[in-house]
Amino acid sequence: MSKIVIFPLLLLLAALAAALFGALHNQLSFTVGPDYFYVIKFPQFGIENMPDRLAAAWVGVQASWWMGLFVGAPAFLFGLMTIARSNTYFAAGLGAIFLVVILTLGFAIMGLLAGMLFADHPLMDRFAVPDTGNRIEILRAALMHNASYLGGAVGAVAAFFPMVFAARTERRLNAA
């Protein structure tokens, strides 16, 4: 398969990975903060008459699929230009997707822990939270969500590492 075909395939896989991550992520965040969804996310995404868990998953898909494109495109484009072999490029792209998912998961867990430990701390009063619903639940889920987006941003940089490693390895092997 040519690298020109692999590039959009990697973008599609990154978007699917991000959508799946968002759906699963929202299952956990719904568990710790259902009011975050009832008060903020379901109205924001126009969700009505859908079972709660399915609605939370659908919000996750809609809120995150594009992150796969945003995070993956620069690294995949870099790999397209610097990696010669198609199979090496594809493997590096899959590695980048996996790395970003792991990083984002780590950041989500850190956000959840911060929410569990600090949501009722007086400093959290600085964050604007709607007057309706359980403030602590909303803050816990919001911290988890925001940390996940931060993880995705860090992942946008980290996604270059598998590409750079693959390109360097390929050059070393060709020089030998």
Side-chain angles (χ1 to χ4, degrees):
M1 189 176 337
S2 82
K3 289 189 328 180
I4 290 297
V5 174
I6 292 172
F7 178 75
L9 177 61
L10 286 173
L11 286 174
L12 176 65
L13 291 173
L16 289 172
L20 181 61
F21 181 89
L24 294 174
H25 171 282
N26 278 8
Q27 295 308 299
L28 178 57
S29 59
F30 184 83
T31 299
V32 299
D35 276 1
Y36 177 72
F37 290 87
Y38 296 133
V39 174
I40 298 171
K41 289 300 177 182
F42 293 163
Q44 178 185 6
F45 284 87
I47 306 277
E48 296 176 10
N49 302 320
M50 188 183 286
D52 291 343
R53 291 291 180 167
L54 182 60
W58 182 235
V59 166
V61 168
Q62 292 181 81
S64 62
W65 70 269
W66 59 272
M67 282 294 289
L69 301 178
F70 172 77
V71 169
F76 299 155
L77 188 58
F78 174 80
L80 181 66
M81 295 183 299
T82 60
I83 299 171
R85 296 179 55 205
S86 296
N87 60 342
T88 304
Y89 174 53
F90 186 66
L94 292 179
I97 292 168
F98 179 76
L99 178 60
V100 171
V101 168
I102 294 300
L103 277 170
T104 306
L105 176 62
F107 273 79
I109 290 169
M110 287 189 290
L112 174 59
L113 289 174
M116 301 300 278
L117 294 172
F118 303 115
D120 59 352
H121 192 277
L123 284 176
M124 290 295 151
D125 292 342
R126 296 176 150 207
F127 292 99
V129 174
D131 290 336
T132 59
N134 182 319
R135 180 177 174 75
I136 301 298
E137 283 184 9
I138 292 170
L139 281 170
R140 284 180 182 158
L143 285 169
M144 185 178 172
H145 278 252
N146 291 342
S148 296
Y149 282 110
L150 180 59
V154 169
V157 174
F160 280 89
F161 287 100
M163 297 296 173
V164 169
F165 180 76
R168 285 183 181 167
T169 301
E170 208 174 56
R171 281 195 303 272
R172 260 188 307 213
L173 291 174
N174 289 337

